[in-house]
Amino acid sequence: MFFDYREYIKAVLDLLQKSGKSLRSIQAEAGVQGSAFFARILDGSRPLSLENGKILAKSWNLDPEEEAYLTDLIRFGNEKNVDQREALLRKLLAVRESKKEFALQDSALKFFSKWYYPVLRDLLPLLPAGTSVEKIGRMFTPTLRAPQVQSGINYLTEAGFIQLGNDGVYQVTEPVVSTPPRVRSTILRKYHLKNLEINSEVYDEFTSDDRSMTSVTCSLSKESFEKVRAEIAAMRERILAIAQADTNPDRVCHVGFQLVPRAKKIKEGK
């Protein structure tokens, strides 16, 4: 039930402490070394090694399947390479898929697996009842095939993102998607890259009246970088507020912000 090994460790420690054990006795029983071992892992000041993960698995009587999941959980939490992290997340999701309660919970995570799922969710409520999947596909840029549209509708309905109203028109619902930031960022990486790719492919299909693309190149300190990041977050919220207040929308748009370093000053001695 965990995506974050620190959350798992905290849950186990809470359970053991409720049974009357102290952190010191839990650490002694496990046989892990180091001052404030658990405290430093939980506050993020040190990672949990695979070796210590195996020690904890043995101490806490995990079965082979649980130990294997914990091992992948540790690798996922510590991995720096984004491609490796995605592969590890897929392994975690594959294990959870065999458990019905987690498979249903994780289905919402697939929302960003296809660039057109979020677009389709917002587009369907704008369409008259009975609009064909073929016609819906032609509304997309780039165009979608009918089977893509139908599978998207099926997924969005099953995952709880939309529901069919009594009038035959789809309505947007808001399923609760609660995941650790590391899972969210791993999933969103490919979604953002795919949208950047699509933007470059369809750029010339729109006139300047139907698109807005601007950029700025500037020098920033770390403090100013964080201020710009905050401004982008605030702008995103204002755009969402404008969209929610709109009573007559006729299109679904993708608004992207990119704040990435193009060059960094080399530190002295390097």
Side-chain angles (χ1 to χ4, degrees):
M1 62 182 287
F2 294 92
F3 279 120
D4 187 327
Y5 67 77
R6 289 184 172 87
E7 289 184 2
Y8 167 68
I9 290 174
K10 185 178 185 305
V12 174
L13 293 178
D14 287 346
L15 188 64
L16 293 175
Q17 286 178 300
K18 284 179 182 177
S19 69
K21 295 183 178 181
S22 67
L23 276 179
R24 180 175 295 180
S25 66
I26 296 170
Q27 181 172 333
E29 287 177 5
V32 288
Q33 303 298 317
S35 175
F37 174 82
F38 289 117
R40 293 184 63 195
I41 288 175
L42 294 181
D43 68 13
S45 61
R46 68 171 289 179
L48 176 64
S49 68
L50 288 176
E51 180 183 359
N52 282 330
K54 290 179 180 179
I55 292 174
L56 293 179
K58 182 178 180 180
S59 174
W60 295 341
N61 298 315
L62 301 190
D63 63 33
E65 183 184 17
E66 292 168 336
E67 182 177 349
Y69 188 86
L70 176 59
T71 298
D72 287 333
L73 204 59
I74 294 169
R75 287 176 174 148
F76 173 68
N78 295 340
E79 182 59 58
K80 298 289 193 295
N81 182 280
V82 289
D83 293 318
Q84 290 295 324
R85 199 159 66 227
E86 286 178 4
L88 288 164
L89 179 58
R90 284 196 295 271
K91 287 186 68 176
L92 296 175
L93 290 171
V95 174
R96 290 165 61 90
E97 195 171 7
S98 64
K99 316 290 183 182
K100 186 176 180 180
E101 65 273 29
F102 300 131
L104 180 62
Q105 177 183 327
D106 292 345
S107 65
L109 298 177
K110 298 178 183 177
F111 182 62
F112 293 105
S113 64
K114 303 289 185 183
W115 67 268
Y116 51 83
Y117 282 171
V119 181
L120 188 59
R121 181 199 62 174
D122 282 6
L123 176 63
L124 289 172
L126 307 181
L127 305 179
T131 303
S132 70
V133 291
E134 290 80 9
K135 184 174 182 179
I136 295 173
R138 292 194 297 271
M139 296 178 185
F140 277 76
T141 308
T143 302
L144 294 183
R145 293 178 288 106
Q148 290 176 294
V149 176
Q150 189 59 62
S151 67
I153 293 174
N154 294 343
Y155 162 71
L156 292 171
T157 303
E158 292 167 5
F161 286 98
I162 58 172
Q163 63 183 14
L164 193 61
N166 295 330
D167 58 358
V169 176
Y170 284 97
Q171 302 168 350
V172 172
T173 57
E174 297 292 339
V176 176
V177 183
S178 179
T179 57
R182 194 170 184 81
V183 174
R184 201 159 49 244
S185 63
T186 302
I187 291 171
L188 284 173
R189 173 178 174 260
K190 282 194 174 180
Y191 172 75
H192 290 315
L193 290 174
K194 185 62 180 178
N195 272 290
L196 289 172
E197 178 186 326
I198 290 172
N199 286 345
S200 66
E201 290 175 355
V202 303
Y203 184 87
D204 291 328
E205 295 187 26
F206 299 100
T207 67
S208 57
D209 291 333
D210 290 320
R211 58 171 160 76
S212 174
M213 291 194 179
T214 60
S215 65
V216 59
T217 302
C218 56
S219 301
L220 296 172
S221 64
K222 177 60 177 175
E223 292 75 18
S224 294
F225 182 90
E226 293 302 330
K227 287 181 181 179
V228 174
R229 191 203 298 269
E231 285 292 325
I232 292 174
M235 170 81 70
R236 177 178 174 275
E237 294 303 317
R238 289 196 294 272
I239 291 173
L240 285 173
I242 292 172
Q244 291 168 357
D246 195 336
T247 58
N248 190 33
D250 62 0
R251 70 199 69 189
V252 179
C253 298
H254 177 265
V255 183
F257 302 100
Q258 294 84 45
L259 175 62
V260 292
R262 283 285 184 258
K264 296 179 76 173
K265 184 179 178 181
I266 298 176
K267 294 181 181 179
E268 303 237 347
K270 290 192 177 183

